[in-house]
Amino acid sequence: MIEEIIIYSTISGGVYALLALGFTLIYGVSGVVNLAHGSFYMLGAYMFYVLGPKVLELPPILAVILAVVFVGVVSSILYRLTIHPVLGDEVGVMVVTVCLALIFQQLMLLVFGPPNVPVAPLIEGSVPIWGVKVTYARILAFAISLVLFASLWIFISKSKIGKAMRAVSQDREVAMLMGINTEKLYMLAMATSSMLAAVAGIFISGSTSGVAGAWIWMYPLALSFSIVILGGLGSIKGSLIGGFIIGYAEQTVIIVAPEGGQIVSVVPFTVMVLVLLLRPKGLFGKRIEMED
Amino acid sequence: MVKSYIRRAYSSFTAHVFDIPPRLMAFLFLLVLLVIPVAGLNPYYLSVMIYANVLAIFAASWDLLVGRTGQISLGHALFFGIGGYSTALLFKFFGLPTWVTIPIALLIGSSVAVLIGFPCLRVKGPYLALVTMAFPIILHSIVKWTTLSHIFEGEYGIRRLPAFFASLPIRQQRIAEYYLTLILFFAAAVIIYKVANSKTGIVFVSILDDELASKACGINVTKYKLMSLIISGLFGTLAGCLQAHLLKVSNPSMFLLTWSFTPIIVTFLGGIGTIYGPLVGAYIYYILDKYFLAIQLPRLCKYFGVTLPGEFEYAKLLIFTLIVLVLVIKWPRGIARFTTDKLEDLEEARDLDERGPRIWKRYERKKK
């Protein structure tokens, strides 16, 4: 039982951290609380279904890349059209992103219908680790999220664009005076954040339930915001640690108390509220800045 | 040339014919609502109006908390569901009549507001929005939990609640329900509007404008935030109780995100920060949703010989959300506020500060 908890929680913690990273990135750079984050997760899964082995029969790797790029392009266009005009108005941004999420939900219902569509895992088969059967798909999801997480961290702390992102998150006006094109940067951050969500969508739905439906956007959104609040909005380190905390809490409840499986969605929020009672700004609450 | 004439004619028309003071407008609005059942409206439309009244109370309570005090809440469904479930549980376990359960439910609702106020009001801005969103989701899972189904009756919810005026025949019952909700709607509107424009309301707006400055003026910010949350929660709970008794059921869907977002959409339709905006917005919402999209559009399509496919149900919410999206981006002032400005002023808002809350300016976005 202990082995199960450790292995499953570590795997889901890593993937959840990836999911939350996108949410925290776009908030840290542009101050947008993107409630459509779960929709990009859903859109990724659906696009993978369309391009993948069942419909268009592209090779899986190509399908993943195309789906993720598609989500990135769509999200940056949507950012420019809808979120940009209301930037700076907190309530307005939230309403707009909620509207986007509902529009995606209804579009998916219109195009694909209410039944779930299958999302195939990239590789089949499983391997026992410490006597616990773990599918290759889960291991792959974990590995990819760690690689992406590490590369994004390096990108933000070392590259020129990453430095520009940090500068904008510290002080937008001064960054503009230094010749940084903030509009482009916001679009880039939005595209990156939604692409991370799409990757998480493809790998999480492929490795766990194996299906995608029009309502799957809610739980990832809830997860990512509880992780992000737990770790502190805008903090990359916080989303990593928060992802693992939530992953451990959730899997422990699922494995220790099977009849509590129905209320597993309560776990992240309870942990979040408890942490907020002690630390109102989360564990590492600040905008993306010096984290090296 | 022609355009300028038209504009001049229009402005003189609006200035001299339609120069109606807001109080008179509110009175006329109420008068129209009062005579509606007498005019012999179809019971379907009457029930639409009943739900519009309930939604108006709910949305106005959200507007007091968010539009006036600036405490962004994305989880107002919490109070809605608390209202529905507490009145239902009191009926189920103690068999109390409706006029006893609703006041007790209101008490429970305000105590919940105090309880969640302690963790919530310590956090600010986006943190607050996301934390408030969490509470209804937690309760949604708990009431759905099969382990507790002997209390909350799981997915189906607590059914067979007593209706209002159950002894009357169905048509008279609808009319009686309509007047009940209308009276409560009017009472709630007056109370919320009076609170928002009282000295306390000015303090609320000062917290929205600048919390630090209000603190520096010696205002106990936490106390006023909590007060706003309690009043808002009270009316949210009232709306939940009414909804439960009108539908005769309280089910877990009362805690769904949909019920958190509906007041937001309604408030933005009407105009945020004006209290009367959501009241009008609720009617616009229901007329758009249940009249134009549900009845007139299929009829129009039939006239042109187009049959609507079964997927139209999904397209309905899609159309609706698109309308709201465009409204929020292009017309952030909302319909009600735009209309009153047009009715009272010529071209630009002449005395924005004098006429209403200063916070209107906050939601003005400059055109580029």
Side-chain angles (χ1 to χ4, degrees):
Chain A
M1 183 179 268
I2 299 291
E3 298 90 347
E4 267 183 35
I5 291 177
I6 291 174
I7 289 173
Y8 282 136
S9 326
T10 312
I11 288 174
S12 33
V15 186
Y16 291 167
L18 183 71
L19 188 62
L21 178 63
F23 196 84
T24 208
L25 182 73
I26 184 68
Y27 176 80
V29 174
S30 68
V32 168
V33 177
N34 181 16
L35 297 181
H37 195 64
S39 311
F40 295 126
Y41 170 99
M42 177 184 76
L43 197 62
Y46 267 104
M47 285 321 292
F48 179 65
Y49 159 73
V50 170
L51 298 168
K54 290 279 161 58
V55 184
L56 286 181
E57 295 178 354
L58 295 177
I61 306 291
L62 188 64
V64 170
I65 293 171
L66 280 180
V68 168
V69 169
F70 174 81
V71 172
V73 171
V74 165
S75 74
S76 50
I77 292 173
L78 281 178
Y79 174 83
R80 188 69 200 178
L81 287 180
T82 59
I83 301 177
H84 178 246
V86 295
L87 212 60
D89 175 357
E90 272 179 359
V91 188
V93 167
M94 286 181 196
V95 174
V96 164
T97 48
V98 163
C99 283
L100 285 182
L102 290 176
I103 286 172
F104 274 121
Q105 175 192 315
Q106 297 301 316
L107 270 182
M108 294 302 142
L109 279 174
L110 265 178
V111 178
F112 298 97
N116 289 337
V117 298
V119 179
L122 281 183
I123 39 174
E124 302 286 343
S126 60
V127 61
I129 304 175
W130 282 358
V132 181
K133 205 175 115 185
V134 185
T135 55
Y136 281 129
R138 283 196 169 205
I139 299 173
L140 182 69
F142 181 64
I144 284 189
S145 26
L146 282 197
V147 168
L148 278 178
F149 203 103
S151 49
L152 203 83
W153 198 330
I154 294 168
F155 173 74
I156 285 182
S157 52
K158 298 285 181 237
S159 77
K160 208 170 176 183
I161 299 178
K163 263 182 196 158
M165 280 183 180
R166 269 156 47 205
V168 170
S169 91
Q170 277 176 6
D171 194 327
R172 187 185 163 200
E173 272 155 29
V174 175
M176 276 167 94
L177 288 177
M178 298 299 132
I180 294 172
N181 188 342
T182 52
E183 292 310 319
K184 264 189 194 164
L185 211 60
Y186 287 175
M187 278 172 78
L188 185 70
M190 187 70 189
T192 319
S193 121
S194 64
M195 277 153 80
L196 291 175
V199 171
I202 293 168
F203 286 102
I204 293 182
S205 23
S207 64
T208 56
S209 62
V211 290
W215 283 280
I216 58 164
W217 61 277
M218 288 190 192
Y219 191 55
L221 174 67
L223 263 180
S224 51
F225 85 62
S226 51
I227 291 169
V228 157
I229 287 206
L230 184 65
L233 262 172
S235 156
I236 294 179
K237 191 165 62 184
S239 73
L240 183 65
I241 293 171
F244 279 106
I245 292 176
I246 297 285
Y248 270 87
E250 195 197 74
Q251 295 297 324
T252 311
V253 169
I254 288 180
I255 292 166
V256 172
E259 84 276 15
Q262 291 171 30
I263 57 161
V264 77
S265 58
V266 169
V267 175
F269 300 120
T270 319
V271 176
M272 175 183 87
V273 172
L274 289 180
V275 169
L276 278 183
L277 276 174
L278 302 174
R279 282 185 64 94
K281 282 228 140 187
L283 295 175
F284 308 95
K286 55 185 171 184
R287 309 283 284 255
I288 298 187
E289 39 194 318
M290 301 303 132
E291 285 205 14
D292 33 11
Chain B
M1 184 70 188
V2 178
K3 204 175 162 190
S4 77
Y5 269 119
I6 293 175
R7 180 173 291 161
R8 235 157 76 197
Y10 172 71
S11 59
S12 69
F13 180 72
T14 49
H16 294 117
V17 181
F18 277 143
D19 206 356
I20 310 171
R23 194 168 294 182
L24 190 61
M25 268 182 62
F27 181 70
L28 286 176
F29 187 56
L30 179 73
L31 210 64
V32 170
L33 291 182
L34 273 176
V35 297
I36 275 174
V38 185
L41 201 66
N42 184 335
Y44 171 74
Y45 298 128
L46 204 57
S47 66
V48 170
M49 301 293 260
I50 293 171
Y51 292 115
N53 286 336
V54 174
L55 183 59
I57 300 175
F58 190 39
S61 74
W62 187 81
D63 196 24
L64 180 73
L65 183 63
V66 182
R68 287 302 183 112
T69 324
Q71 305 303 308
I72 304 170
S73 153
L74 292 183
H76 227 54
L78 173 72
F79 297 114
F80 201 70
I82 291 277
Y85 266 96
S86 36
T87 175
L89 287 174
L90 284 169
F91 168 73
K92 186 185 163 193
F93 286 106
F94 304 106
L96 294 173
T98 315
W99 55 272
V100 180
T101 53
I102 290 183
I104 301 177
L106 293 184
L107 268 180
I108 296 173
S110 357
S111 345
V112 168
V114 176
L115 269 183
I116 69 158
F118 285 113
C120 281
L121 295 179
R122 292 182 66 197
V123 294
K124 283 180 198 137
Y127 284 92
L128 178 67
L130 297 178
V131 172
T132 47
M133 206 166 146
F135 287 103
I137 299 178
I138 293 177
L139 282 176
H140 179 248
S141 313
I142 288 176
V143 296
K144 255 173 81 176
W145 198 11
T146 44
T147 314
L148 292 177
S149 65
H150 57 285
I151 303 176
F152 300 112
E153 303 190 8
E155 187 93 49
Y156 297 106
I158 301 169
R159 283 158 295 173
R160 288 188 287 279
L161 294 180
F164 297 112
F165 312 111
S167 55
L168 294 175
I170 183 78
R171 197 172 159 77
Q172 272 77 15
Q173 190 200 353
R174 279 282 166 284
I175 294 176
E177 276 177 355
Y178 176 77
Y179 279 118
L180 176 75
T181 50
L182 187 65
I183 289 166
L184 287 174
F185 156 76
F186 197 64
V190 168
I191 293 173
I192 294 178
Y193 194 77
K194 283 287 171 199
V195 167
N197 286 329
S198 66
K199 209 172 164 187
T200 319
I202 294 171
V203 177
F204 288 169
V205 177
S206 82
I207 293 172
L208 176 134
D209 268 350
D210 194 336
E211 194 179 325
L212 200 63
S214 340
K215 228 180 219 169
C217 292
I219 292 169
N220 186 349
V221 176
T222 316
K223 184 181 121 193
Y224 280 94
K225 278 187 196 168
L226 203 59
M227 207 189 279
S228 172
L229 186 63
I230 289 170
I231 299 171
S232 170
L234 190 76
F235 287 105
T237 317
L238 176 66
C241 295
L242 291 176
Q243 180 91 359
H245 283 290
L246 289 170
L247 289 175
K248 304 189 201 70
V249 61
S250 350
N251 50 18
S253 75
M254 291 181 99
F255 284 114
L256 272 184
L257 281 181
T258 327
W259 276 112
S260 301
F261 294 144
T262 319
I264 303 178
I265 288 171
V266 165
T267 310
F268 267 88
L269 272 177
I272 189 169
T274 60
I275 312 300
Y276 61 78
L279 306 179
V280 182
Y283 276 91
I284 297 172
Y285 176 85
Y286 267 108
I287 289 170
L288 264 180
D289 187 28
K290 295 276 190 291
Y291 181 68
F292 280 105
L293 289 181
I295 293 176
Q296 288 301 323
L297 195 64
R299 197 177 280 168
L300 200 72
C301 290
K302 214 174 187 178
Y303 181 76
F304 287 110
V306 186
T307 45
L308 288 168
E311 281 91 32
F312 179 65
E313 275 302 306
Y314 306 131
K316 220 166 79 176
L317 185 58
L318 184 69
I319 295 170
F320 203 77
T321 324
L322 275 174
I323 293 174
V324 174
L325 188 64
V326 172
L327 260 180
V328 174
I329 294 170
K330 290 286 168 201
W331 218 6
R333 296 157 57 78
I335 293 171
R337 205 193 300 159
F338 178 81
T339 321
T340 50
D341 279 359
K342 276 287 169 224
L343 289 179
E344 291 168 26
D345 297 333
L346 298 177
E347 303 244 305
E348 265 181 57
R350 173 176 53 196
D351 44 3
L352 214 55
D353 285 322
E354 196 183 302
R355 209 161 15 79
R358 280 165 298 148
I359 86 167
W360 289 11
K361 277 187 179 163
R362 190 182 150 102
Y363 292 99
E364 299 279 328
R365 293 183 210 107
K366 276 175 192 157
K367 279 186 183 165
K368 281 173 190 168

